[in-house]
Amino acid sequence: MTVDFAAKKALFHLPDGVIYLDGNSLGPMVKTAPARIAQAMAEWQDLLIRGWNKAGWMAQPAALGDRVAKLIGAAPGTVVLGDTLSIKVYQALASALEMNPKRRVILSDTGNFPSDLYMAEGLCRTLCGQYRLKTVAPEEVMSAIDDTVAVTLITEVDYRTGRRHDMTDITKRAHEMGVLTVWDLAHSAGALPVDLAGAGADFAVGCTYKYLNSGPGGPAFIYVAPRHAETARPALSGWLGHAEPFAFDLSYRPGQGIERMRVGTPAVLQMAALDAALDAWDGVDLAEVHRQSLRLQDQFIKGVETRAPTLQLATPRSHLMRGSQVSFRHPEGYAIMQALIAEGVIGDFRAPDILRFGFTPLYIDEDDVARAVGILAKIMDYGSWDKPEFKQRARVT
Ligand SMILES: *Cc1c(COP(=O)(O)O)cnc(C)c1O
């Protein structure tokens, strides 16, 4: 089945005059989200605490997990929603380390998102310094996987450059070396085809407010391979991951399978937004979404390299090594991005010099790309980025 991208675009609310190339950071709102949240609000209003049972709020993290599972090549019952991605990184990593007790090294790469590295550092400290986080250049991950490594903590698509790791190859190498894998799908889920089961991944985590459009602060997800589901022991052992939360036992017993990875009370309103957003993915073939994204990316790269040649491409040219974003370097990247945003082309900036543009075909088309290139070329030709107001750094870049 082919995706009708124009029909998909109509499902999203995009403000007039905005070309939104930042869905890789915060996805836009589906038009049905406000009504779905209003419905959850009405449940709260009328059912009060009865909503946990009557409106199915307590079952929502697993029900949504099954919907997300379809998008990442995971079987039903292997994914659960909740908390934020940083928390889920910790949860997966701690479990994986415990399952490989003779080894002391966590392997990650310098292209990983800092929060993943910070969580790993914090975990090493909690484990009394017995563990060590080793980070290598993204190109060196494969060769750094040896028999000292307990767990790899790798984000499939680099948040800065858009460079994509080969999940299948790395997982295979890891397993040959007796290493467990934690995959971060923050820039993969909803952007490209992911086959967790096929790749044999051990653990995976990701967020839903980027490509899955659940809104700011939307819940994260965690996947545990079925073969580990009954042995993985969560370090963040909250009551909702307990086998019987409402038995109120004094000590923790892990819940069944993926349920044990839950921590605390789910964010019901935010889950309602995610549920609405996931409707847009019904019947969508992610291979086709990714192919269309690559077409849009190629159009953008060609346009920028022709018309704004002082920008340097930071993203690999090979389609096999790309996610759903394109990044360019420029020493004045921050000011250039602010000038673009002032003209309605919204991307973002990542220190020290990266301008980042996401190409999400469900709501971005060729016409948007052509217009974005034109506006960027104009800003570079006239140097209109060179103004004090564009150099004032905001809290969020
Ligand atoms: C966006 C992102 C995060 C953010 O974590 P939160 O806890 O949701 O704020 C973490 N890791 C990666 C790889 C990301 O891209």
Side-chain angles (χ1 to χ4, degrees), residues 84-87 112-113 115-116 155 159 184 186-187 207 209-210:
T84 76
L85 177 50
S86 306
I87 301 284
N112 204 346
F113 189 76
S115 195
D116 294 35
T155 298
Y159 77 105
D184 189 328
H187 298 277
C207 51
Y209 52 79
K210 290 171 181 158

Side-chain angles (χ1 to χ4, degrees), residues 156-287:
E156 187 186 13
V157 178
D158 187 311
Y159 77 105
R160 246 199 240 115
T161 62
R163 181 189 184 280
R164 181 183 182 183
H165 281 292
D166 189 319
M167 183 186 290
T168 304
D169 277 5
I170 289 180
T171 305
K172 183 159 174 277
R173 165 87 186 159
H175 289 169
E176 282 165 8
M177 288 288 149
V179 178
L180 291 173
T181 52
V182 176
W183 283 101
D184 189 328
L185 304 178
H187 298 277
S188 310
L192 41 90
V194 176
D195 186 5
L196 288 176
D202 298 287
F203 292 84
V205 292
C207 51
T208 61
Y209 52 79
K210 290 171 181 158
Y211 292 98
L212 297 177
N213 313 309
S214 68
F221 64 84
I222 184 165
Y223 162 86
V224 180
R227 63 186 177 281
H228 301 315
E230 300 299 337
T231 39
R233 297 204 326 162
L236 301 171
S237 39
W239 74 305
L240 291 185
H242 192 281
E244 288 182 278
F246 288 87
F248 297 107
D249 286 348
L250 292 187
S251 72
Y252 179 83
R253 272 185 296 125
Q256 242 202 338
I258 195 67
E259 285 281 324
R260 69 186 56 194
M261 291 295 156
R262 291 175 67 168
V263 182
T265 303
V268 171
L269 300 179
Q270 202 81 56
M271 297 223 184
L274 173 60
D275 193 44
L278 289 174
D279 291 348
W281 295 97
D282 285 343
V284 168
D285 171 9
L286 275 150

